[in-house]
Amino acid sequence: MTDAASQTAAVVVSALAELADPERVAGSQGFFKTAPGQYGAGDVFIGITVPAQRRVAKLVPSLPLTELDLLLDSEVHEHRLTGLIIAASRFERASIPAAIDESLRADLADWYLATVRRGRVNNWDLVDSSAGVILGGWLFDRPRDVLFELAASPALWERRVAIITTQGFINRGDASTTLELAPLLLGDSEDLMHKAVGWMLRAVGKRVDRELLTDFLDEYAGRMPRTALSYATEHLTPEQRAHYRALPRTPAR
C-alpha cells in the first residue's frame, strides 16, 4: 500500500482499530501512569502492541507531515506512537548515504521539534522511539543549542527529549553533549529524568569510552539521584559500583 492516495492518517487509524484489544487497555494505562496526578494522566489507550504498530507503520511509509499531524493530535496513545514510528522511519530512509534527502530530513526535524513543543510527544515511549533518531540524526553535525533550551523547559517531556536526543550522538561515538547536559539535569525532580540521564550515561560508558563515564562519576556521583546513579553504573564492575554508591551524598546544584 504505497500509492499516494493511500498515504493517509485514516488508513493508520483504521488498521489500528482492527488490532485493538480491550483486554490490554487496563495494563497499558497502569504501565504508562495515566491516573490523575501521574505523568501520563488522561492518556487514552486502545490496547495494541508495539510490534503490531510497527507493522501498521509499514503500510504508509511516506505519510505526509499533514497526515502525521492528524495522528499526533489524536488523544489515542497508539495513534501518536505509530505516527512517530513512521516519522522516524522516514528520517532514517532519508539519511541513507546513497539516497540522502537533506530537504526531507530538515522538514522532518522541524516538524518533530514543533510537535514536541506543542506537547504531542508526551510520554516516555513516544520520546524514546523518536528523539535519538530524528533530532539526534539531524543535529549530529549541527549546532545543538536547542537541546539546552529544551533541557531548561518546565515541561518534563521536553527535558527528556533533550537528553534522549543525545543517544543519536552516542551511537556515532560522540558523548560531548550528553556530558554537558547531564549535570544540568541532576537536580530534576522527576524520576523519569533520573532514569533517562542514567541511561544515557551508561550508554556513554558502553558505546563511547568507559573512562569518560568514570571521570563524570568521579565528579558528580555524590550529587546524582540514586536512580540515575544505579542506571549509570550498571555495566561497571561490582567494586566500582560499590565505590560510587558509597560516596557521601551532596545536593545537586
Side-chain angles (χ1 to χ4, degrees):
M1 188 181 292
T2 58
D3 59 285
S6 68
Q7 301 290 305
T8 67
V11 167
V12 176
V13 170
S14 177
L16 291 174
E18 292 181 6
L19 299 170
D21 181 358
E23 293 185 0
R24 294 183 56 88
V25 170
S28 295
Q29 289 174 330
F31 187 67
F32 287 99
K33 308 297 184 185
T34 64
Q38 295 182 315
Y39 62 74
D43 209 350
V44 175
F45 287 81
I46 56 176
I48 308 173
T49 66
V50 173
Q53 290 176 71
R54 292 192 180 279
R55 290 194 296 272
V56 170
K58 291 179 180 179
L59 299 175
V60 286
S62 302
L63 195 66
L65 299 184
T66 52
E67 297 296 311
L68 283 170
D69 274 336
L70 294 177
L71 293 178
L72 269 294
D73 283 338
S74 172
E75 67 176 0
V76 176
H77 186 100
E78 291 93 339
H79 293 173
R80 302 197 305 282
L81 179 55
T82 303
L84 290 167
I85 291 170
I86 294 165
S89 296
R90 289 197 72 189
F91 189 91
E92 288 180 318
R93 292 197 306 277
S95 302
I96 297 171
I100 194 161
D101 185 338
E102 283 296 296
S103 178
L104 178 56
R105 279 163 45 88
D107 287 347
L108 284 164
D110 288 345
W111 170 84
Y112 181 75
L113 186 57
T115 303
V116 168
R117 283 175 161 160
R118 62 190 181 87
R120 304 313 300 159
V121 185
N122 54 354
N123 215 312
W124 60 262
D125 61 325
L126 306 181
V127 173
D128 297 359
S129 65
S130 56
V133 174
I134 300 175
L135 279 191
W138 179 246
L139 296 176
F140 179 76
D141 52 2
R142 291 175 173 80
R144 303 173 184 177
D145 306 60
V146 66
L147 298 184
F148 293 86
E149 296 172 15
L150 292 173
S153 170
L156 164 62
W157 305 119
E158 292 187 17
R159 301 197 304 276
R160 188 167 175 109
V161 164
I163 192 67
I164 297 299
T165 290
T166 70
Q167 185 177 38
F169 312 151
I170 292 168
N171 290 345
R172 296 172 72 174
D174 179 359
S176 61
T177 304
T178 310
L179 298 176
E180 291 176 38
L181 285 173
L184 305 179
L185 296 167
L186 293 184
D188 202 288
S189 62
E190 296 285 351
D191 187 60
L192 281 174
M193 288 303 300
H194 304 168
K195 292 176 180 177
V197 170
W199 173 24
M200 291 301 101
L201 289 171
R202 180 182 68 199
V204 167
K206 183 177 180 180
R207 294 180 176 273
V208 183
D209 188 329
R210 178 67 60 90
E211 190 172 342
L212 286 175
L213 171 60
T214 55
D215 285 349
F216 181 93
L217 294 172
D218 288 342
E219 182 172 359
Y220 292 106
R223 285 183 260 163
M224 293 176 66
R226 287 294 186 184
T227 298
L229 184 60
S230 178
Y231 273 58
T233 58
E234 185 176 347
H235 293 304
L236 298 182
T237 66
E239 293 76 18
Q240 288 175 308
R241 291 199 301 272
H243 164 71
Y244 288 119
R245 294 173 188 182
L247 290 176
R249 309 296 300 167
T250 57
R253 295 195 293 269

